[in-house]
Amino acid sequence: MTTHRPEGLFDVFAEPTEAPAPTSTVPASLPALGFVGWLRWAWRQLTSMRVALLLLMLLAVAAVPGTVWPQRAQDAARVATYIAEHPTAGPWLDRLGFFDVYSSVWFSAIYILLFVSLVGCILPRTKVHLAGVRGRPPRAPRRFARFPAQGSGSVEASPERAAQDAVGVLRAGWRWLPFVPTYRVDARDEGGGTWSVSAERGYLRETGNLLFHLALVGLLISVATGQMLHYRGQAIVVQGRGFANAQVDYDTFEQGTAFSPESLVPFTLRLDEFESRFDPVTLQSRDFTAHVTLTNPGEDPVAETIKVNHPLTAGGAKVYLQGNGYAPELTVRDASGQVAFSGPTPFLPQDEVYTSRGVVKVPDVSGDQEQIGLVGYLLPTVDVRETAFGPAYASVHPQPDDPALVLAVWRGNLGLDTGVPQNVYELDESRMTQLMDADDSPVTLVVRPGETVDLPDGMGTLTFDGLPRYVALDLRHDPALPFVLVFALLAFAGLATSLFAPRRRLWLRFAPGTGGQDPRTVVTAAGLARGDDVGLQPELDRVLAQLATRTDDRPPVAPRGPTSGEGTP
């Protein structure tokens, strides 16, 4: 007699009762995958969930250099300065695309691979999910003793009527959503007067998971579309003046790869007045309001306002109030009396009292006169204090109660014809010489509105004509933003559903009783959940409690819709 030994098991403590089968001496060899086999293996790896998560993390890491190094699309001058200051690392970083991260080959490759991975992961799972939703719940097992949730009882109705009642109870909707069934239910006649009911819910969990991944794909497409079609521009507008929505009118302009300048709506915007309000004690800003006149093509001018966090919509774009300050109106005449410079010059605020720094570059001087540069500060409300080193000037209030310009004078070559872009708020001093007094202290000009002062060494005159305000406007247009919001909300809803929707299966068996003139139907039930589910047993008890109130004299509960195959999981 031989002892049965399951295949694959070997008891190391038992002596073999039979001679071992002869083994072949020919070494086993695996078949070669071939080119098609390797392609299938690579596709399975790419479309696996772990690779999709790895690519998602890799994309986040790849975006970090875009926040560390300056980007050419946002600030080309800063990139040029960085490369000049780092002659060894700068050119290599430029070759590797670290100054154009989001349009680089390696970032785009990660982006495309993530997109393909998500699509390849979603499509087969969607097919399997749809087949499961359209199928029938599994038949009731023969024995219920091995399930974690169990119950039993009896009802006065016949087995068939009790099964119909169970179908109605299980398919009844939520109290707040009564028309949506909770379970997919299937009733079967098992013969001999016994009926069984199978109920299943929780496919909504996988639906939420698929919705989350589909929303991620939508987010990827939306962000990519926005990067290609968006544009963003900044412009400084002085009070009483305006600008047209044309690319040449912006101080800085950033655009997507597929953006066309012809798509800009040619509206105009004029700054009529700017109001600012400050706390009288702390001098903290309380409100900024720009009163503008908007003129859309073919329409009459309309008065509008722009506030912080309350942008103006114009030409399909949002116009934000990004900053404000003062733009002194200056006139500079050269040594021959010719007007070499005239107009407003924006000064940048440096503190809460609007001490503003600015640079006036005067390249258009006549004859052989050297070019002029003026660097200094605008003080909206000047306060002069005498010190051991001379008068000290400071601003004590942000409102222009007693404004004054305090400027240093330079002369030489401004370097505007070198071909290297310059910051309009910085003076290239490499070819310039600062003018000094007889005691070797820098020449300082103090000018108030309406005053004219002579420049040293007969270089000309400077007139402070007025002090208008200016605003810095930021115009942004991204057609994908509404889609980004929608897909983000769908991703959140899908993730919440996949985390909190319970996956449950309930089985009930109705068998005829065996004693008495009025035998009762014996009900046995069991439940199974995927993972830990503390609500499984209470759910089974609720169904049994509702069935216990049914009798053969009452009409059965009418199930909503078909009893199998359809319904919300």
Side-chain angles (χ1 to χ4, degrees), residues 236-389:
I236 290 179
V237 183
V238 180
Q239 186 172 335
R241 305 191 180 195
F243 86 105
N245 188 32
Q247 190 170 347
V248 295
D249 266 19
Y250 286 96
D251 299 315
T252 61
F253 194 82
E254 174 192 346
Q255 64 186 42
T257 55
F259 169 76
S260 174
E262 290 76 15
S263 64
L264 290 174
V265 179
F267 67 86
T268 59
L269 198 67
R270 185 182 73 246
L271 177 61
D272 300 321
E273 185 182 1
F274 182 80
E275 295 180 0
S276 58
R277 185 166 56 86
F278 301 89
D279 187 277
V281 178
T282 63
L283 300 182
Q284 294 293 323
S285 59
R286 289 293 177 260
D287 182 64
F288 295 119
T289 303
H291 299 273
V292 299
T293 298
L294 173 65
T295 304
N296 286 307
E299 299 180 5
D300 295 331
V302 179
E304 299 283 357
T305 59
I306 309 176
K307 287 178 172 288
V308 178
N309 298 327
H310 291 82
L312 170 67
T313 302
K318 296 287 188 180
V319 183
Y320 295 87
L321 181 61
Q322 190 177 38
N324 66 88
Y326 296 96
E329 190 90 29
L330 304 176
T331 300
V332 179
R333 296 180 181 271
D334 58 20
S336 63
Q338 299 295 322
V339 175
F341 177 87
S342 180
T345 302
F347 277 51
L348 297 181
Q350 305 295 309
D351 52 28
E352 68 277 359
V353 292
Y354 274 59
T355 300
S356 305
R357 187 181 185 278
V359 175
V360 182
K361 301 179 182 181
V362 187
D364 299 327
V365 293
S366 58
D368 296 332
Q369 181 179 345
E370 292 182 301
Q371 295 175 338
I372 304 171
L374 304 172
V375 182
Y377 292 89
L378 168 72
L379 309 175
T381 303
V382 66
D383 178 55
V384 184
R385 296 182 182 180
E386 293 295 335
T387 66
F389 303 99

Side-chain angles (χ1 to χ4, degrees), residues 413-445:
N413 185 353
L414 293 171
L416 299 178
D417 54 354
T418 61
V420 179
Q422 287 190 10
N423 190 336
V424 295
Y425 301 105
E426 297 291 340
L427 182 68
D428 184 3
E429 302 174 357
S430 60
R431 303 176 185 86
M432 304 290 290
T433 302
Q434 186 174 9
L435 298 185
M436 312 295 287
D437 285 331
D439 56 354
D440 289 336
S441 60
V443 173
T444 301
L445 302 179

Side-chain angles (χ1 to χ4, degrees), residues 55-99:
L55 289 172
L56 187 61
M57 291 189 298
L58 188 61
L59 186 70
V61 173
V64 172
T67 63
V68 176
W69 286 282
Q71 299 300 294
R72 186 171 281 109
Q74 284 78 29
D75 196 342
R78 189 178 174 189
V79 172
T81 302
Y82 185 93
I83 295 176
E85 293 177 351
H86 301 79
T88 302
W92 278 105
L93 291 174
D94 194 16
R95 294 189 190 101
L96 296 175
F98 282 88
F99 300 123

